[in-house]
Amino acid sequence: MDFATKAIHVGQEADPATGATIVPIYQTSTYTQRAPGEHLGFDYSRTINPTRLALERCLASLENARFGLCFASGMAATAAALDLLSAGDHAVVTDDLYGGTFRLFDKVLRRDGLSFTYVDVSDPSSVAGALTDKTRMVWLETPTNPLMKLADIKAIAAICGPRGVLLAVDNTFATPFLQNPLDLGADIVVHSTTKYIGGHSDTVGGFTAANREDLHTAMKFHQNAVGAVPGPLDCFLTLRGVKTLAVRMREHERNAQAVAEFLAARTDVEQVYYPGLASHPQLELAKRQMRGFGGMLSFVPKGGVQRSRAIATKTKVFSLAESLGGVESLICHPVSMTHGSIPKEERDAHGLSDALLRLSVGIESERDLIADLTQALA
Ligand SMILES: *Cc1c(COP(=O)(O)O)cnc(C)c1O
């Protein structure tokens, strides 16, 4: 079955009890048993819920995974994957990392005895160089946020595999429509379904996928033991959202490519970061590893941080907001919003300009988006 068909049908057979075509919101915490211990496979909704199960099956199929698990947020999914590690273990992590993930690693898990080394994963040899005999996981985001750097999943999997190091990929930016890390050799995929998978900025959720049964069993144990599960209504909304992921991603990408080319052609813009531009240093890797370039881009306008703040304030179709991946376009000034907690010296060292603006390009009309940026840049 192809992607668009799986998104609409897998896990979503007509309801056996009523024939309902759409998976119902099973708003129940418990299930009546015929005799003690004799039930229909459902006993308590932290452990298992039919609406969540439908979403888990559907999302697993989109990642070509044998197993999938849903969580209350992307961070809860990330915590479940990191719980595969124990005190004393070490992980190698992309240095251009989602801020909430950095906070979890640095402020919570480090206290629990894990250690982390942050490297530029766009160079696989820097990953190899950071491995120690304590390393049990490599954690990638690709493309990264907000500099849109890529990591070569296949090359890094070839480094991790022989050493028994788990490779986990946060696939939130690319989405399963554009990139399937398990097919490229990763062991674990993590998503914030809050973003493109849900797609409508109306619910928070997370997801993990794996092919190895031992990894799935351990993360499922964590899901039930810790209990950071999504409610049935959130699962329903995410399942409704994911049905249109294929059509949305095509529109996101078409608009993002147009906006990237528009910005790159302007003399008052210093730099544009988008994997689909000829100027992106990893265009070839993007073409090899992804089926498209996605809806996220960043750019540095000339005129310094004051002008960037003015542009972010003046857009009307692009809302000034954190988050990404919804049908509506968003603009964000990472240094004053999502990335403010990173010290200036570190930002400079990573090439993150104080003037950088990030766009989550939505699926409004291309003409309106470009007109909005034109007036804001003026
Ligand atoms: C938003 C996001 C997360 C965290 O997800 P939540 O659903 O907000 O908990 C993790 N990784 C990336 C890349 C994200 O964009």
Side-chain angles (χ1 to χ4, degrees):
M1 233 187 254
D2 287 332
F3 188 96
T5 314
K6 290 195 285 189
I8 293 170
H9 292 290
V10 173
Q12 302 167 74
E13 297 76 24
D15 182 50
T18 63
T21 305
I22 297 303
V23 174
I25 304 166
Y26 280 94
Q27 195 72 46
T28 186
S29 62
T30 191
Y31 306 83
T32 300
Q33 309 196 357
R34 268 189 307 249
E38 207 182 293
H39 53 71
L40 299 168
F42 298 91
D43 50 1
Y44 185 62
S45 275
R46 169 162 36 71
T47 313
I48 187 167
N49 173 278
T51 316
R52 190 175 93 212
L53 192 60
L55 178 63
E56 289 176 338
R57 288 184 173 157
C58 179
L59 296 184
S61 80
L62 299 184
E63 281 293 7
N64 302 326
R66 288 176 66 204
F67 306 106
L69 295 167
C70 286
F71 293 87
S73 68
M75 291 322 307
T78 301
L82 264 294
D83 197 38
L84 295 166
L85 274 53
S86 303
D89 290 344
H90 170 251
V92 175
V93 182
T94 173
D95 65 1
D96 195 21
L97 185 65
Y98 176 72
T101 306
F102 177 73
R103 180 173 54 204
L104 174 69
F105 289 4
D106 193 59
K107 300 287 190 289
V108 180
L109 298 177
R110 222 156 50 87
R111 199 155 37 75
D112 294 342
L114 300 187
S115 63
F116 300 90
T117 302
Y118 299 88
V119 301
D120 181 351
V121 296
S122 58
D123 177 8
S125 70
S126 64
V127 175
L131 299 179
T132 72
D133 56 3
K134 295 240 172 2
T135 309
R136 287 225 32 230
M137 183 181 276
V138 170
W139 183 273
L140 304 179
E141 286 176 23
T142 177
T144 63
N145 169 24
L147 293 173
M148 307 304 293
K149 288 194 285 192
L150 305 189
D152 188 334
I153 298 172
K154 214 177 219 173
I156 294 171
I159 294 167
C160 292
R163 294 176 174 243
V165 173
L166 295 172
L167 177 57
V169 178
D170 180 337
N171 204 28
T172 301
F173 265 43
T175 80
F177 182 66
L178 298 180
Q179 176 172 277
N180 292 120
L182 297 180
D183 292 347
L184 298 166
D187 300 292
I188 300 147
V189 176
V190 173
H191 281 282
S192 167
T193 61
T194 312
K195 317 295 168 53
Y196 286 106
I197 287 178
H200 296 74
S201 307
D202 55 10
T203 180
V204 170
F207 174 70
T208 63
N211 281 327
R212 270 174 53 181
E213 192 158 8
D214 59 328
L215 300 179
H216 168 70
T217 303
M219 290 191 288
K220 187 165 174 53
F221 180 85
H222 174 102
Q223 181 196 43
N224 185 50
V226 174
V229 292
L233 177 60
D234 288 326
C235 293
F236 171 86
L237 287 170
T238 306
L239 197 53
R240 181 166 73 167
V242 81
K243 285 175 190 280
T244 55
L245 183 60
V247 277
R248 282 188 285 110
M249 289 314 293
R250 284 194 284 267
E251 289 296 299
H252 280 297
E253 179 173 352
R254 210 169 50 82
N255 280 346
Q257 185 77 40
V259 167
E261 285 170 14
F262 159 79
L263 290 169
R266 286 187 67 109
T267 52
D268 61 348
V269 170
E270 198 171 293
Q271 199 167 357
V272 182
Y273 301 91
Y274 182 64
L277 284 182
S279 60
H280 195 285
Q282 295 168 297
L283 177 64
E284 284 314 308
L285 173 60
K287 283 183 179 164
R288 194 162 73 234
Q289 169 165 290
M290 304 171 73
R291 289 179 290 270
F293 308 115
M296 298 301 300
L297 64 92
S298 298
F299 69 106
V300 181
K302 287 182 183 160
V305 63
Q306 281 318 107
R307 177 158 183 260
S308 289
R309 290 181 61 95
I311 293 167
T313 311
K314 281 191 184 122
T315 55
K316 296 190 176 79
V317 181
F318 284 85
S319 305
L320 178 58
E322 295 186 9
S323 198
L324 62 112
V327 291
E328 60 287 311
S329 292
L330 304 179
I331 188 166
C332 148
H333 181 230
V335 166
S336 12
M337 297 164 72
T338 49
H339 288 61
S341 58
I342 305 171
K344 171 137 179 72
E345 313 80 68
E346 224 168 288
R347 297 199 303 259
D348 289 346
H350 294 159
L352 173 55
S353 162
D354 284 0
L356 183 118
L357 293 173
R358 190 188 78 180
L359 301 180
S360 173
V361 182
I363 63 170
E364 302 94 335
S365 122
E366 172 190 322
R367 209 150 41 119
D368 290 334
L369 296 180
I370 288 182
D372 190 36
L373 290 171
T374 304
Q375 65 81 23
L377 285 158

